[in-house]
């Protein structure tokens, strides 16, 4: 038997796979936990919302609502400005 190509079997590999599980229903973790304020000083929490290059992950991957996606973006920008997070990097995670 001929072996299947990697793309044909559905095993697409990324450099670092996204932290979001594709099979589960997406939800806004801020609404679920009742979080109102996103702290820009907590860089370890904000790294969940950026990829390994330092770019913000879109809502369709994280499941965050529009209201909180804007707050996450603002918090990441503030953390970058204060040098708590890098603007650009090769491998952040």
């Amino acid at each position: 038997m001929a072996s299947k190509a990697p793309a044909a079997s559905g095993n697409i590999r990324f450099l670092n796979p996204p932290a979001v599980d594709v099979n589960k229903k997406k939800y806004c973790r801020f609404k679920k936990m009742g979080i109102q304020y996103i702290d820009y000083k907590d860089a370890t929490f904000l790294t969940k919302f950026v990829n390994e290059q330092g770019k913000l992950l879109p809502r369709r991957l994280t499941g965050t609502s529009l209201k909180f996606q804007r707050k996450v973006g603002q918090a990441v920008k503030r953390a970058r400005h204060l040098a708590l997070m890098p603007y650009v990097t090769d491998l952040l995670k």
Side-chain angles (χ1 to χ4, degrees):
M1 291 185 164
S3 63
K4 293 182 179 179
S9 64
N11 293 333
I12 300 174
R13 304 230 178 235
F14 298 99
L15 182 64
N16 284 333
V20 178
D21 191 11
V22 179
N23 297 335
K24 289 186 176 182
K25 175 143 174 46
K26 294 178 204 156
Y27 63 93
C28 181
R29 69 180 82 196
F30 301 105
K31 285 184 179 178
K32 186 175 181 180
M33 295 180 184
I35 298 172
Q36 292 296 320
Y37 178 72
I38 300 171
D39 191 14
Y40 64 92
K41 296 176 290 254
D42 190 5
T44 56
F45 177 71
L46 293 176
T47 55
K48 296 177 186 175
F49 298 97
V50 296
N51 65 6
E52 62 270 357
Q53 296 174 341
K55 296 180 181 178
L56 278 171
L57 288 173
R59 289 178 52 211
R60 61 185 165 81
L61 290 180
T62 59
T64 309
S65 66
L66 179 62
K67 175 183 173 181
F68 287 103
Q69 180 71 17
R70 288 180 181 146
K71 289 183 179 185
V72 165
Q74 188 66 36
V76 168
K77 289 175 187 177
R78 287 178 179 167
R80 287 175 177 163
H81 183 73
L82 293 174
L84 300 174
M85 292 179 68
Y87 280 95
V88 180
T89 183
D90 287 335
L91 292 173
L92 182 63
K93 295 182 180 180

